[in-house]
């Protein structure tokens, strides 16, 4: 190795000698040096010193590195972390700081290997860790080295958020059975969710928040695909106090949560949790209960089905059976603020039919056309609305936009890999609007699943929906 030499005087005079020495007279000459001068000790610095940095660990608020070099124990060096990505400028600024008092540089490290722990770091932050050789007099030598690292998110409660389960409540003009309210005193963005108490208590918080974030972003993507829009996380999150609604099952104990999220869809690490709660089923209102039972629903075309409405969730939803077949349940949503229900298109499940293989089953809106039927197998399309007239009569009308009913009827539809087909032998369906009258017995007309012949069809995509022709 090449060496540079620095002579350092280790001065120490015997106390007796100094005590006996006379004070030099002012003769204009330099005083003579003591006769027994102590020799200087030579310190060797490695001119071509090189450093190796090994990252041992990085946490949200700390990081640990092991530093080795090719020099000797006499070499001195300094290591530090900075937010700046400009290494040379960072070293220049650090040297200026170390030599600011004009004396010897203090706090230098020595030895050929040393482990350094950085404390009090910020979570989710990019740092540059730098090491360089410097003498006690502030002279740089050798080659510096550096590594860049990012601390992970620091997960912790946000005291500025208070989360409460607020039960049934209005959001705008609509009333919902289960709402969550967050009172916020800062501007950190967040979204809301509800999880079971058991899952909250038995899941690592980092894992739980990541799982809920994925469910949140998956919902946004599904919503965008369904409606053909491009909403973002920022559109669905909150920065102030807010209320949101959720569909949850009874019989469990839950907690509601506010989870911090950036506009880009990354966790901030902040969260808040409500007190645990267990939703109870409400007593049925007279308006909701009035639809329970079996009804003969007769279309404008004279075709009728006997259809049964049973309770799903009190004052929230029904289970409908008997439309075309008794073999599958269809969910109907009740809106208590307006005392009417809406039946939406919905995915029922995946099944296998003899001779035709697997298919996805939908309950869907449809239109009669000249050469058959068009069926719209897309989740979440409003099909029809049921309500009570002032006279007390019940009526079901097809969903309309701009005073135009969008569909003539509704039915079950199987979606195979090569097209769409019926799953029963039924060919005639009641058309909207439907008159509703009590029925003394349940519907029992026979229907055979997927036994009718079916032909492959071409998909005709209209502007808004996937369109299949029977």
């Amino acid at each position: 190795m090449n060496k540079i030499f620095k002579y350092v005087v280790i001065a120490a005079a015997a106390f007796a000698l100094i005590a006996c020495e006379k004070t030099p007279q002012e003769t204009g000459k330099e005083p003579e040096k003591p006769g027994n001068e102590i020799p200087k000790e030579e310190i060797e610095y490695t001119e071509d010193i090189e450093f190796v940095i090994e990252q041992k660990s990085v946490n949200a608020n700390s990081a640990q590195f092991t530093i080795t070099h090719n020099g000797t124990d006499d070499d001195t060096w300094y290591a530090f972390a900075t937010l700046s990505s400009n290494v040379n400028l960072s070293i220049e600024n650090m040297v200026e700081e170390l030599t600011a008092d004009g004396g010897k540089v203090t706090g230098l490290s020595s030895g050929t290997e040393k482990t350094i722990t950085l404390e009090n770091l910020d979570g989710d932050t990019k740092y540059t860790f730098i090491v360089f050789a410097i003498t006690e007099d502030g002279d740089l030598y050798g080659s510096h080295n550096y590594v860049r690292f990012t601390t992970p998110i620091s997960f912790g409660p946000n005291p500025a958020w208070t989360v409460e389960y607020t039960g049934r409540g209005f959001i705008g003009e609509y009333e919902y059975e289960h709402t969550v309210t967050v009172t916020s005193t800062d501007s950190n963005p967040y979204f809301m969710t509800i999880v079971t108490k058991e899952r909250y208590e038995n899941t690592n918080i980092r894992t739980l928040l990541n799982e809920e974030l994925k469910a949140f972003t998956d919902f946004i993507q599904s919503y965008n695909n369904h409606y053909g829009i491009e909403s973002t996380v920022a559109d669905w999150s909150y920065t102030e106090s807010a209320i949101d609604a959720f569909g949850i099952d009874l019989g469990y104990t839950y907690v509601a949560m506010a989870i911090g999220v950036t506009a880009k869809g990354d966790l901030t690490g902040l969260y808040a949790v409500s007190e645990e709660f267990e939703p109870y089923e409400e007593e049925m209102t007279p308006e909701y209960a009035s639809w329970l039972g079996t009804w003969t629903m007769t279309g404008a075309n004279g075709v009728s089905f006997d259809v049964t409405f049973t309770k799903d969730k009190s004052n929230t939803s029904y289970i409908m059976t008997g439309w075309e077949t008794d073999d599958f349940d269809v969910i109907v949503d009740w809106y208590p603020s307006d005392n009417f229900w809406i039946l939406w298109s919905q995915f029922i499940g995946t099944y296998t039919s003899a001779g035709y293989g697997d298919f996805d089953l939908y309950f869907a809106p449809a239109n009669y056309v000249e050469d058959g039927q068009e069926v719209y197998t897309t989740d979440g399309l409003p099909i029809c609305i049921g309500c009570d007239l002032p006279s007390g009569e019940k009526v079901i009308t097809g969903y309309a936009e701009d005073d135009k009913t969008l569909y003539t009827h509704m039915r079950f539809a199987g979606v195979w890999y090569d097209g769409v087909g019926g799953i029963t032998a039924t060919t005639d369906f009641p058309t909207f609007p439907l008159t509703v009258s009590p029925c003394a017995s349940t519907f029992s007309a026979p229907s055979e699943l997927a036994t009718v012949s079916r032909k492959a069809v071409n998909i005709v995509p209209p502007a808004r929906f996937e369109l299949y022709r029977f």
Side-chain angles (χ1 to χ4, degrees), residues 47-209:
E47 183 180 14
D48 57 353
I49 190 171
E50 294 181 345
F51 294 91
V52 175
I53 305 174
E54 180 186 359
Q55 179 177 301
K56 306 295 287 186
S57 65
V58 175
N59 300 312
N61 304 116
S62 66
Q64 190 175 78
F65 301 89
T66 295
I67 300 171
T68 57
H69 62 74
N70 61 347
T72 69
D73 287 340
D74 290 334
D75 287 298
T76 52
W77 44 273
Y78 193 80
F80 69 104
T82 177
L83 297 175
S84 172
S85 60
N86 189 326
V87 175
N88 290 328
L89 180 60
S90 297
I91 293 176
E92 180 181 331
N93 291 338
M94 181 55 68
V95 171
E96 183 177 343
E97 180 180 332
L98 292 173
T99 59
D101 61 1
K104 297 291 185 181
V105 177
T106 60
L108 297 182
S109 296
S110 60
T112 59
E113 180 175 336
K114 187 173 184 179
T115 298
I116 292 179
T117 301
L118 305 175
E119 302 284 359
N120 300 318
L121 302 178
D122 293 325
D124 194 27
T125 304
K126 295 179 180 179
Y127 289 95
T128 302
F129 181 63
I130 305 170
V131 57
F132 62 94
I134 183 173
T135 70
E136 290 184 345
D137 291 331
D139 298 323
L140 295 175
Y141 66 99
S143 300
H144 66 261
N145 196 5
Y146 67 93
V147 294
R148 304 191 194 280
F149 68 96
T150 301
T151 53
I153 295 172
S154 178
F155 290 89
N158 182 6
W161 295 336
T162 301
V163 186
E164 298 176 277
Y165 170 71
T166 42
R168 180 173 293 279
F170 280 89
I171 300 177
E173 298 178 356
Y174 298 98
E175 186 179 16
Y176 298 89
E177 184 178 9
H178 304 291
T179 65
V180 172
T181 300
V182 174
T183 303
S184 175
T185 58
D186 67 13
S187 58
N188 283 300
Y190 64 91
F191 68 95
M192 301 182 213
T193 189
I194 293 178
V195 300
T196 63
K197 175 189 175 184
E198 179 182 9
R199 180 162 166 251
Y200 173 73
E201 292 180 342
N202 293 284
T203 306
N204 174 274
I205 192 65
R206 181 191 299 269
T207 301
L208 180 64
L209 266 56

Side-chain angles (χ1 to χ4, degrees), residues 300-355:
N301 59 353
V303 177
S304 63
F305 288 154
D306 288 347
V307 178
T308 300
F309 273 38
T310 56
K311 181 180 71 67
D312 179 37
K313 296 179 181 179
S314 180
N315 303 329
T316 299
S317 58
Y318 305 98
I319 297 173
M320 183 184 81
T321 55
W323 187 275
E324 182 180 355
T325 175
D326 279 328
D327 292 300
F328 302 105
D329 296 340
V330 177
I331 300 299
V332 180
D333 291 333
W334 174 256
Y335 294 83
S337 58
D338 297 296
N339 289 323
F340 63 67
W341 53 257
I342 298 179
L343 198 163
W344 304 80
S345 61
Q346 54 199 269
F347 173 70
I348 305 300
T350 299
Y351 301 88
T352 299
S353 60

Side-chain angles (χ1 to χ4, degrees), residues 272-288:
V273 185
S274 74
E275 295 182 356
E276 62 184 59
F277 61 92
E278 185 173 353
Y280 60 90
E281 186 169 30
E282 299 176 344
E283 183 178 348
M284 291 184 290
T285 63
E287 293 81 6
Y288 171 85

Side-chain angles (χ1 to χ4, degrees), residues 224-286:
N224 289 347
N225 293 340
H226 180 79
Y227 289 103
I229 62 175
E230 295 182 358
S231 62
T232 66
V233 169
D235 297 324
W236 288 90
S237 55
Y238 306 96
T239 56
E240 299 175 344
S241 299
I243 183 172
D244 206 345
F246 299 87
I248 54 179
D249 294 325
L250 302 179
Y252 298 91
T253 301
Y254 295 92
V255 295
M257 301 183 70
I259 299 176
V261 64
T262 69
K264 293 182 179 180
D266 298 320
L267 293 174
T268 65
L270 298 174
Y271 65 92
V273 185
S274 74
E275 295 182 356
E276 62 184 59
F277 61 92
E278 185 173 353
Y280 60 90
E281 186 169 30
E282 299 176 344
E283 183 178 348
M284 291 184 290
T285 63

